[in-house]
Amino acid sequence: MNRKFLPKQARLLNLNEFVFVFQNPERIKTTGITLFSRSNRLGYPRIGLAISKKYVKYAHERNRIKRHIRETFRTCQHNLLAKDFVLTIRSKEIIHYKNKTLIQELEKLWYHHLC
């Protein structure tokens, strides 16, 4: 069943959940994006976003990036392993990516965690 939204249970919401992922993560890096992941016991994947103003200055750019991250996660979540994921941005270059390029980079990251 494909959902048209990302349910609350599929998100990392509090500090302890983020700390859990950062304690002993697996890391995958692409140009400007780092994906941290750690297995959970919930049986489904969850996502958290950590996008700093330091790298993406304007709110509308941060929102655009977050929107694409959530959308690519939503479309892939049924094929992903049961892990908690945190995406961070580590480069100012990402704001110059066109939407298509950004989506391709994100899909590469999710591809590494398919069942």
Side-chain angles (χ1 to χ4, degrees):
M1 177 175 138
N2 287 333
R3 293 184 168 245
K4 302 220 186 293
F5 63 95
L6 190 61
K8 193 172 186 177
Q9 70 181 14
R11 301 181 208 165
L12 300 178
L13 298 173
N14 63 44
L15 180 62
N16 292 335
E17 294 169 341
F18 280 86
V19 169
F20 172 76
V21 175
F22 287 125
Q23 283 177 347
N24 189 18
E26 298 173 25
R27 288 183 184 96
I28 297 176
K29 295 181 182 183
T30 65
T31 308
I33 305 171
T34 304
L35 176 66
F36 297 91
S37 65
R38 188 169 176 191
S39 295
N40 66 33
R41 296 181 185 183
L42 301 173
Y44 54 87
R46 298 187 305 170
I47 186 172
L49 304 173
I51 300 176
S52 170
K53 288 182 188 178
K54 178 179 178 181
Y55 297 108
V56 185
K57 184 176 178 182
Y58 297 109
H60 69 274
E61 289 293 335
R62 287 193 303 276
N63 292 338
R64 178 181 69 92
I65 293 166
K66 290 190 283 188
R67 191 169 44 249
H68 287 303
I69 292 170
R70 285 191 302 265
E71 179 61 17
T72 57
F73 177 78
R74 184 190 66 79
T75 58
C76 295
Q77 71 180 333
H78 303 290
N79 299 321
L80 294 173
L81 298 172
K83 291 187 173 189
D84 290 341
F85 299 100
V86 176
L87 275 101
T88 62
I89 303 299
R90 296 289 181 194
S91 172
K92 293 181 181 182
E93 295 173 14
I94 196 144
I95 62 171
H96 301 296
Y97 283 12
K98 300 286 185 193
N99 290 339
K100 186 176 181 179
T101 307
L102 180 60
I103 290 168
Q104 289 172 346
E105 290 294 317
L106 293 167
E107 287 174 348
K108 285 181 197 175
L109 290 173
W110 298 129
Y111 178 77
H112 291 286
H113 291 285
L114 295 177
C115 310

